[in-house]
Amino acid sequence: MTLAVGSRLGPYEVTGAIGVGGMGEVYSARDKKLNRDVAVKVLPAAFAQNEERVARFRREAQVVASLNHPNIASIYGLEESDDTIALVLELVPGEDLGQRLKRGAIPMGDAIAMARQIVAGIEAAHEKGIVHRDLKPANIKVTKEGLVKILDFGLAKAFESDQTAARGSAPVPEPAEARRAEPAEASDSPTMTQHTEAGVVLGTAGYMAPEQARGAPLDKRTDIWSFGVVLFEMLTGRRAFRGATPAETLAAVLRDTPAFDALPTNTPVSVRRLLSRCLERDPKLRLRDIGDARLELESTEGAAQRADFATGVRRSVLVMGALGLMAGAALSAAIATWMLKPKPAGGAQPLTRASYPIGAAVRLTAQRRQIAISPDGRIIATVVGSGLSIRNVDELMATPVRGASQVVGLFFSPDGRSLGFTTDSTVSALPLDTREVRVVLGVRGGFRAIASGTVGASWGDDGRIYYATAEGILSVSESGGDSRMEIRGSNLGHPQILAGSRDLLYTRGHSPSVPAVNGEILLHSSAGGEDIVLTTGVSPQYLPSGHLLLVRGNSLMAAPMDLRSRRLTREPVTVAQDVAVLGSFAQYDVSNNGTLIYIPESVARNPASVLRRLDATGKDGPLHSAPREYSDPRVSPDGRFIALHLQDEQNDVWTLDIARDLLTRITFDPREDETPAWSPDGQWLAYSAYARTGAGRAIFRRRADGGGDEEVLIKIEQHSHVTDWSPDGKTLVIEVLHPQRQGDLELLNLEPKPALRPYLETPFDESSGRVSPDGKWMAYRSDESGRNEVYVQSFPEPGHKMQVSTNGGVQPVWSRDGRALYYRAEGALMAARAKAGPTLDLQAPVQAFEDPYARPQSDGHTTYDVFPDGKFVFIKSQISKDATAADPALIAAFNWVQDLATKVPTSPSR
């Protein structure tokens, strides 16, 4: 039935036509009784003549009318006459999302804000058991104020017959006159109906879930798929699935994978992961609850807006720079500060969140606590690469700290005036007012042993700094002096003096190199007595609120803790999820005033590097661009392959066939296999790994093509690395991390049977031993001068020695012809050229080219190598100098402890 302008339907006077859809014709109208504008949807005549269908529709419409949510357009009423049935709906001003998408993709911040509102509406309906079944851009309105309203919620089911509802919304063949090319624009996509039975809603081809297209039973996961398709289109401006006809589009839904590479480069990792989970074809693998999408989007929304804002600022600054109008940049900074400002402390405040950039990607190591927040919640410290940065919570960007490098752990002083941090060989303090690093303690032979299984440091309110080494937990006065042993033992970590108490919280038995292996959490009393095992987990932290926090898996858990009885009053319960963990470090911290900060696991596990080929001038070219966690690349003797360690979920040794661009896995143990080295003939790989049985490490070798079984060459109690294979094939160079001496270089003679013997055993830290191509010299790194430098000694017996670097250096690598020794210095790859002759005559080192890439690992590892033709392979970390800092990587939840107290009440006895 077509309604003319001015015609009446009950109390409603038609004022104009809005459009025609698969569910009927829509008009604007004026409600004369309530003096408001409404939308009137007149349903198909054939539908209105079926009493059973109308009765079913009434029941479903009543259920949908019960929805009351700001992101769902309301149903006001149902008007019926002899030949007409019409729904009276909320008239939502503005354009629908399909019309908006005709102008192209939506900026990231706006898209995330819209998506969050869409999800909120879907979640409210799903909680009442109502599924939309036809979610698409044309059914989503966006007002000028940015308010999103979902239209036609639940009406798809209301239109179904009982038979159709039982079998699902299976598409049926269309008559010839109905077959036509599907409109190119999303907003034009029709709701498909079964033409042999008028009014049976089937959905819209490009947005239907695979089970919907197959006619399988439907549930809320159908809407989750459709939401993923809509979000993809919002971000890219293109359809996820399309074809020349509805049938071809349905085939694409069942067959094709969306072009995720079309997503904008500033798409947060969390959003990419959300899209992939929404668009799983198998409903069993799909995101289970749309509420999970809401949580993901809420944590991402602020960062996405700032990414758009930062892009605009960069463009504005370029223009303003040309005009000399730098006041605009100051205004932009003020706006950024306002966007991040949290709620004031004190009183009952709502839980709010913000996201902060801390580099284009975060690369965590088992020896590093990446983030910390001051007790008053005002200052956030982060480790990016190996450096240290600080920001106020109301500042968008962080400021690097000069003089802080190779940072291992972060911790604030109890008064929040100083930031403590550990490096491989020091405990240091940074007063926040002067920003001048002060070394509290030099730990020669200590912190390098963290890799053997001990981690963590904290600053007690008794004026002492507590830190863990392989020998146990020690402390040192904040003003310096000698250390004292607090708890002797191995595999201890995370010491924390409880405020107002001399009790010491710590962990025992964790595994720093195997993710998610929980240790025991204990309490040690200064009054003596046996230490009490409280529970299990990693990274424990006691809060003044009376809660003990800990992490298991990627879940942050809390339990009330009674200090008088020194026990937990209930078992830990999960209070937050998706917290990044690597080894024994969970990347979170909590301030005394109630702010939680954490790095999401989804961000931290983002592949953080690619392989690049550089020529002799440093010109960058592609090699293998698939992003993974690469480490220790070693070029084969013939230059055709690269052996390397992938530090992602497998944590194994792989080889890359360069010509075929093919990675092949060589080792398969679930624990860490690392530092591969080629035999001179290219037939074998030697590597270091955890012993397959028992404790400790072992050195293995295996055929480089992956064939045969691996062979245990020797077991070593301490953590160790293979650094080189001698040119004659008879000796492996091994770096062994001794708790008392730090790193030593030892030689594993392979004939007649493998035997280990010392090469350099000193009080200093040596690593990265590389044998010259003629087999007469060993290059290595040492800190004997008080800083890292590169040295050369005679080989296979040490003796004649010379220092090569003059201003610091790490990671020495020989050219294949022995005519140059390369090493990395700050910001440059250096080259010491060798004169031809019977003895080694190295010239003064010069810069080969600017080193554009940050070193993603400690200097016990080497992140580049040299090809036989003189070119280089470098690991390009996403935290390199040329990376942008737009991706969100750190979440702050303000007033979180107050919220925690309502969820996990503390013991009344406290």
Side-chain angles (χ1 to χ4, degrees):
M1 175 181 179
T2 301
L3 300 180
V5 174
S7 62
R8 299 287 292 265
L9 187 66
Y12 306 103
E13 181 179 320
V14 176
T15 58
I18 295 178
V20 179
M23 297 183 188
E25 299 176 353
V26 185
Y27 301 86
S28 61
R30 185 70 176 173
D31 184 342
K32 294 296 186 177
K33 289 184 178 180
L34 298 179
N35 197 27
R36 63 179 176 179
D37 293 322
V38 298
V40 175
K41 175 167 286 191
V42 179
L43 307 183
F47 182 92
Q49 295 168 4
N50 187 321
E51 293 183 3
E52 180 181 350
R53 298 286 300 286
V54 170
R56 175 183 175 83
F57 179 80
R58 288 196 195 102
R59 293 194 300 271
E60 296 296 339
Q62 288 170 358
V63 173
V64 176
S66 68
L67 291 175
N68 182 17
H69 192 273
N71 298 121
I72 298 177
S74 300
I75 294 180
Y76 291 152
L78 185 65
E79 291 293 322
E80 298 181 62
S81 64
D82 293 338
D83 59 350
T84 303
I85 181 169
L87 280 172
V88 182
L89 308 166
E90 177 183 358
L91 181 63
V92 182
E95 61 184 356
D96 65 49
L97 186 57
Q99 294 168 326
R100 166 60 186 84
L101 286 171
K102 288 181 179 180
R103 301 196 298 273
I106 298 173
M108 183 62 61
D110 294 342
I112 299 302
M114 291 180 190
R116 180 187 55 76
Q117 295 183 69
I118 295 170
V119 163
I122 298 172
E123 182 180 21
H126 285 185
E127 287 176 350
K128 291 198 172 186
I130 301 172
V131 180
H132 195 292
R133 300 184 177 212
D134 194 25
L135 189 67
K136 59 183 178 182
N139 279 338
I140 299 170
K141 275 289 193 82
V142 184
T143 70
K144 292 181 179 179
E145 296 75 24
L147 178 65
V148 172
K149 292 273 189 177
I150 305 175
L151 311 180
D152 288 348
F153 218 118
L155 295 185
K157 184 176 181 182
F159 271 73
E160 290 178 339
S161 67
D162 292 332
Q163 181 180 7
T164 303
R167 72 173 186 266
S169 299
V172 295
E174 297 176 289
E177 63 271 16
R179 297 193 191 107
R180 60 185 183 276
E182 185 176 14
E185 300 297 339
S187 59
D188 297 330
S189 300
T191 297
M192 296 173 61
T193 58
Q194 185 181 30
H195 296 280
T196 56
E197 184 181 0
V200 178
V201 177
L202 302 172
T204 303
Y207 304 91
M208 293 170 64
E211 64 271 19
Q212 193 173 8
R214 291 192 298 264
L218 308 182
D219 58 25
K220 63 183 183 181
R221 291 171 294 182
T222 299
D223 284 350
I224 293 174
W225 170 279
S226 299
F227 164 72
V229 176
V230 171
L231 179 57
F232 178 90
E233 190 169 342
M234 291 167 65
L235 295 175
T236 64
R238 58 192 280 186
R239 298 279 295 275
F241 307 99
R242 64 182 306 149
T245 66
E248 291 182 8
T249 301
L250 288 174
V253 169
L254 296 170
R255 177 193 65 224
D256 296 342
T257 299
F260 290 115
D261 57 357
L263 290 168
T265 56
N266 67 335
T267 304
V269 176
S270 57
V271 174
R272 292 177 183 271
R273 187 182 71 159
L274 176 62
L275 279 170
S276 65
R277 294 188 66 193
C278 289
L279 297 178
E280 285 281 359
R281 283 195 176 81
D282 185 347
K284 295 179 181 178
L285 302 178
R286 200 175 302 157
L287 190 73
R288 302 290 296 177
D289 196 308
I290 198 69
D292 294 335
R294 175 181 55 79
L295 294 174
E296 195 80 76
L297 291 168
E298 284 178 351
S299 66
T300 305
E301 183 175 359
Q305 290 173 339
R306 289 195 304 278
D308 290 338
F309 175 78
T311 300
V313 168
R314 285 193 293 270
R315 293 171 181 165
S316 299
V317 168
L318 288 174
V319 175
M320 290 185 291
L323 299 176
L325 301 177
M326 298 312 296
L331 176 62
S332 298
I335 295 173
T337 298
W338 172 81
M339 291 173 66
L340 283 170
K341 195 170 185 64
K343 302 289 184 183
Q349 299 290 341
L351 179 65
T352 58
R353 297 175 183 270
S355 298
Y356 296 82
I358 62 173
V362 182
R363 193 199 169 281
L364 306 181
T365 70
Q367 300 94 349
R368 180 174 298 163
R369 184 185 184 189
Q370 194 94 21
I371 58 176
I373 188 168
S374 60
D376 61 7
R378 294 177 53 251
I379 306 294
I380 295 175
T382 55
V383 178
V384 180
S386 61
L388 172 62
S389 294
I390 294 177
R391 61 157 59 83
N392 293 325
V393 294
D394 58 357
E395 291 178 339
L396 177 66
M397 302 305 294
T399 302
V401 175
R402 294 183 178 180
S405 62
Q406 301 303 316
V407 178
V408 172
L410 296 176
F411 49 94
F412 276 92
S413 62
D415 61 10
R417 295 179 180 178
S418 296
L419 174 66
F421 64 91
T422 56
T423 69
D424 282 343
S425 58
T426 66
V427 178
S428 297
L430 178 75
L432 297 181
D433 54 354
T434 65
R435 301 284 176 100
E436 295 181 0
V437 175
R438 174 174 61 89
V439 176
V440 176
L441 177 70
V443 192
R444 191 173 295 281
F447 280 110
R448 191 80 192 286
I450 284 175
S452 299
T454 53
V455 290
S458 68
W459 199 321
D461 61 358
D462 58 351
R464 299 189 68 83
I465 296 175
Y466 294 78
Y467 62 96
T469 73
E471 297 175 328
I473 293 174
L474 297 91
S475 71
V476 62
S477 170
E478 61 187 31
S479 59
D482 295 332
S483 296
R484 75 180 184 209
M485 180 67 68
E486 301 287 346
I487 306 174
R488 188 176 297 277
S490 60
N491 214 20
L492 308 183
H494 300 289
Q496 179 193 1
I497 284 286
L498 303 190
S501 165
R502 300 281 66 80
D503 288 350
L504 181 64
L505 187 72
Y506 69 100
T507 61
R508 178 177 67 196
H510 52 256
S511 176
S513 297
V514 183
V517 173
N518 297 318
E520 295 176 319
I521 299 174
L522 301 94
L523 196 60
H524 171 82
S525 174
S526 60
E530 187 175 351
D531 291 357
I532 298 172
V533 177
L534 298 173
T535 185
T536 61
V538 299
S539 296
Q541 183 172 348
Y542 178 76
L543 302 183
S545 64
H547 294 91
L548 176 68
L549 299 181
L550 57 103
V551 174
R552 294 177 186 166
N554 297 112
S555 296
L556 179 61
M557 310 186 80
M561 182 172 169
D562 184 4
L563 290 184
R564 287 179 295 182
S565 63
R566 305 174 73 231
R567 65 182 180 88
L568 303 183
T569 58
R570 62 173 289 183
E571 286 298 310
V573 297
T574 298
V575 291
Q577 295 180 324
D578 195 34
V579 176
V581 179
L582 188 62
S584 56
F585 266 124
Q587 301 297 329
Y588 82 97
D589 197 11
V590 182
S591 69
N592 291 343
N593 76 335
T595 300
L596 165 72
I597 62 171
Y598 69 96
I599 297 174
E601 172 73 4
S602 53
V603 173
R605 287 295 184 180
N606 179 41
S609 58
V610 294
L611 297 178
R612 304 292 289 178
R613 191 197 305 264
L614 277 64
D615 64 17
T617 66
K619 184 178 179 180
D620 190 330
L623 180 60
H624 180 69
S625 59
R628 300 288 293 268
E629 287 278 2
Y630 299 107
S631 173
D632 293 285
R634 299 298 294 267
V635 178
S636 63
D638 60 8
R640 296 171 51 215
F641 298 88
I642 298 175
L644 34 76
H645 170 209
L646 291 188
Q647 295 177 282
D648 48 22
E649 292 84 355
Q650 290 83 25
N651 225 345
D652 282 301
V653 171
W654 296 62
T655 58
L656 171 67
D657 184 329
I658 298 172
R660 299 168 61 199
D661 197 27
L662 178 65
L663 280 169
T664 300
R665 190 173 174 183
I666 302 299
T667 66
F668 295 87
D669 191 79
R671 296 176 296 174
E672 182 181 64
D673 303 331
E674 60 174 346
T675 60
W678 292 91
S679 62
D681 60 6
Q683 300 299 306
W684 296 87
L685 285 172
Y687 48 92
S688 171
Y690 280 91
R692 304 311 188 211
T693 59
R697 304 274 290 192
I699 306 300
F700 297 84
R701 69 178 170 189
R702 188 174 189 178
R703 281 173 44 186
D705 60 7
D709 296 328
E710 64 181 5
E711 177 186 354
V712 180
L713 296 175
I714 195 169
K715 288 188 176 182
I716 302 175
E717 181 179 350
Q718 293 83 13
H719 195 96
S720 54
H721 298 146
V722 178
T723 66
D724 207 2
W725 201 320
S726 65
D728 60 9
K730 297 179 179 180
T731 305
L732 291 174
V733 181
I734 311 295
E735 174 192 353
V736 180
L737 303 182
H738 291 283
Q740 291 75 28
R741 297 191 305 270
Q742 299 197 57
D744 288 337
L745 293 179
E746 304 193 14
L747 303 181
L748 179 60
N749 295 325
L750 302 177
E751 298 175 357
K753 65 184 248 181
L756 200 63
R757 69 177 181 88
Y759 176 77
L760 287 179
E761 286 188 345
T762 74
F764 311 115
D765 184 26
E766 290 95 13
S767 70
S768 309
R770 293 292 186 102
V771 182
S772 61
D774 62 6
K776 296 179 179 180
W777 302 95
M778 172 90 80
Y780 61 95
R781 177 203 65 86
S782 175
D783 67 353
E784 64 180 78
S785 69
R787 69 177 178 185
N788 291 327
E789 300 283 4
V790 172
Y791 298 84
V792 169
Q793 284 210 51
S794 55
F795 182 86
E797 299 297 333
H800 181 62
K801 171 183 169 184
M802 67 185 79
Q803 181 176 331
V804 179
S805 60
T806 58
N807 194 28
V810 296
Q811 301 184 14
V813 174
W814 296 93
S815 65
R816 292 302 178 94
D817 57 11
R819 295 181 180 177
L821 176 62
Y822 299 99
Y823 64 89
R824 302 182 82 164
E826 190 65 34
L829 183 74
M830 304 296 291
R833 304 294 175 181
K835 292 182 179 179
T839 62
L840 183 64
D841 185 3
L842 290 175
Q843 300 178 356
V846 296
Q847 178 175 311
F849 50 78
E850 183 177 351
D851 186 349
Y853 304 137
R855 299 193 294 272
Q857 281 191 281
S858 68
D859 291 317
H861 296 265
T862 300
T863 51
Y864 75 105
D865 200 12
V866 184
F867 283 95
D869 63 1
K871 293 181 179 179
F872 301 85
V873 54
F874 270 75
I875 296 176
K876 181 180 181 180
S877 172
Q878 293 183 13
I879 54 175
S880 61
K881 292 180 181 179
D882 59 354
T884 62
D887 290 347
L890 184 151
I891 305 299
F894 302 103
N895 308 308
W896 182 81
V897 172
Q898 293 91 316
D899 186 67
L900 170 67
T902 64
K903 297 176 180 177
V904 188
T906 54
S907 171
S909 63
R910 188 182 168 272

